[in-house]
Amino acid sequence: MPKPTRKVIISCAVTGAIHTPSMSPHLPVTPEEIITDSLAAAEAGATILHLHARDPETGRPTQDPDAFRAFLPQLKQATGAVLNLTTGGSPHMSVEERMRPAAVLKPEVASLNMGSMNFGLYPMLNRFTEFKHDWERQHLENSRDLVFKNTFADIEHILNTGNANGTRFEFECYDTSHLYNLAHFVDRGLVKAPFLVQTVFGLLGGIGAHPEDVAHMKRTADRLFGDAYVWSVLGAGRNQMPVAAQAAAQGGNVRVGLEDSLWISPGKLAQSNADQVRKARELLQGLSLEVATPDEAREMLDLKGGDNVAF
């Protein structure tokens, strides 16, 4: 008998906290834009929606739970996609501020950055020179001297809070050391299988996006975690689809979205998150792979279900 076709999770990171409104007119900022773009991405095939919130007037990232409440109930009602809330927020925020939405709203999944790191966004000033809001240039310029703080105490606090709420995690690993940090918490029993490891490539301050970098992270995760984890990748900027293609061919899952890249092809802005989801889906279909449904992802990741959240 032929083996069943492997199902691939497509995560879509809808808006994030890296890119600013002046960089693309297609970046969702208001609750209405986030709802519209998220639903279109889900319709295009996104299994998981990774969500940040923004001030609707300025587009500045915010971790006010009320900002998330402006779109989460509508998304829950309109789509079965898994809703994943950030605890990364913005690198400029304290861990207490970053954790508030997940602590209050108790999602099925929340992201969790697995180590402190330099987080260099300032090279984008070479491409983008005119900004509508005063905070945008400062946001990029200040990253020259920015450490994104995620200490062992910070990680443990987020884990304990999420575990108490039945929230599972998207463990974002930007370098090899972050995999070892995750292994430390697995050894302590604070992280239990099956867990989602999101390896991140091509961000200044983390590991690069060379095929050998992708292979090295996969080899290391395999050695540390065996079959206890679900592997996914995101490539920043122009690395988005090449990294997705390599990972998908090696048994991985993929993340796309305007948080990670504003582009759909060289020099051409994506007009929506759905554009990138469709492109990822075409890539997977070219490899004879099927996209996982939200319920299949819930089973793969042992999630508590959309009825057990606080929104």
Side-chain angles (χ1 to χ4, degrees):
M1 293 291 291
K3 293 183 179 180
T5 303
R6 177 173 67 88
K7 298 295 182 72
V8 180
I9 295 170
I10 299 179
S11 294
C12 181
V14 175
T15 186
I18 291 175
H19 297 118
T20 71
S22 298
M23 295 178 181
S24 172
H26 311 298
L27 184 71
V29 168
T30 67
E32 293 77 16
E33 291 168 346
I34 291 171
I35 291 168
T36 299
D37 232 49
S38 296
L39 293 179
E43 179 67 23
T47 317
I48 297 175
L49 299 172
H50 172 97
L51 298 163
H52 289 240
R54 291 176 179 261
D55 181 304
E57 298 298 325
T58 66
R60 191 166 193 157
T62 175
Q63 289 295 93
D64 184 343
D66 285 340
F68 285 80
R69 289 189 181 101
F71 55 78
L72 285 175
Q74 295 91 327
L75 291 179
K76 179 183 172 183
Q77 183 176 15
T79 179
V82 177
L83 304 181
N84 170 359
L85 304 191
T86 180
T87 70
S90 165
H92 303 281
M93 299 175 181
S94 69
V95 68
E96 291 79 11
E97 185 179 2
R98 288 161 39 199
M99 185 60 199
R100 286 179 64 208
V104 172
L105 300 170
K106 305 178 183 179
E108 291 186 81
V109 181
S111 65
L112 176 49
N113 295 65
M114 288 310 298
S116 300
M117 59 181 291
N118 293 337
F119 206 84
L121 306 178
Y122 62 89
M124 286 190 280
L125 289 167
N126 296 327
R127 179 184 291 268
F128 302 101
T129 58
E130 296 183 6
F131 299 97
K132 293 182 283 188
H133 306 289
D134 292 341
W135 70 271
E136 296 179 83
R137 183 181 299 279
Q138 184 181 26
H139 168 77
L140 300 175
E141 184 63 46
N142 286 353
S143 71
R144 294 180 191 273
D145 192 29
L146 175 67
V147 174
F148 191 0
K149 177 178 172 289
N150 295 282
T151 66
F152 289 111
D154 294 338
I155 294 168
E156 185 171 348
H157 170 63
I158 294 172
L159 280 171
N160 284 332
T161 302
N163 288 344
N165 292 335
T167 296
R168 304 282 280 172
F169 290 95
E170 173 197 13
F171 293 103
E172 297 194 9
C173 297
Y174 293 74
D175 215 334
T176 313
S177 61
H178 294 184
L179 295 171
Y180 281 91
N181 291 348
L182 177 55
H184 165 74
F185 288 104
V186 172
D187 290 344
R188 290 177 54 188
L190 291 176
V191 176
K192 299 186 184 300
F195 47 89
L196 176 61
V197 176
Q198 189 72 259
T199 46
V200 183
F201 301 94
L203 188 92
L204 183 61
I207 197 167
H210 190 278
E212 284 297 323
D213 294 322
V214 179
H216 174 62
M217 290 286 274
K218 177 64 162 57
R219 286 193 300 266
T220 303
D222 284 346
R223 177 165 46 80
L224 291 173
F225 308 126
D227 61 1
Y229 82 110
V230 175
W231 180 45
S232 183
V233 300
L234 76 87
R238 66 179 181 273
N239 303 302
Q240 185 178 74
M241 293 301 166
V243 168
Q246 182 179 349
Q250 296 181 11
N253 303 277
V254 301
R255 179 174 130 175
V256 295
L258 297 182
E259 171 174 353
D260 305 330
S261 174
L262 295 174
W263 311 96
I264 193 64
S265 61
K268 183 178 179 182
L269 291 171
Q271 295 189 24
S272 68
N273 282 279
D275 280 356
Q276 294 181 351
V277 173
R278 281 188 287 268
K279 190 168 184 177
R281 189 162 195 161
E282 290 169 1
L283 184 158
L284 297 174
Q285 290 169 342
L287 296 170
S288 299
L289 297 171
E290 293 184 13
V291 177
T293 67
D295 285 341
E296 288 169 336
R298 288 182 171 96
E299 184 176 355
M300 292 165 65
L301 301 174
D302 193 24
L303 303 184
K304 64 182 180 178
D307 292 336
N308 297 305
V309 299
F311 55 86

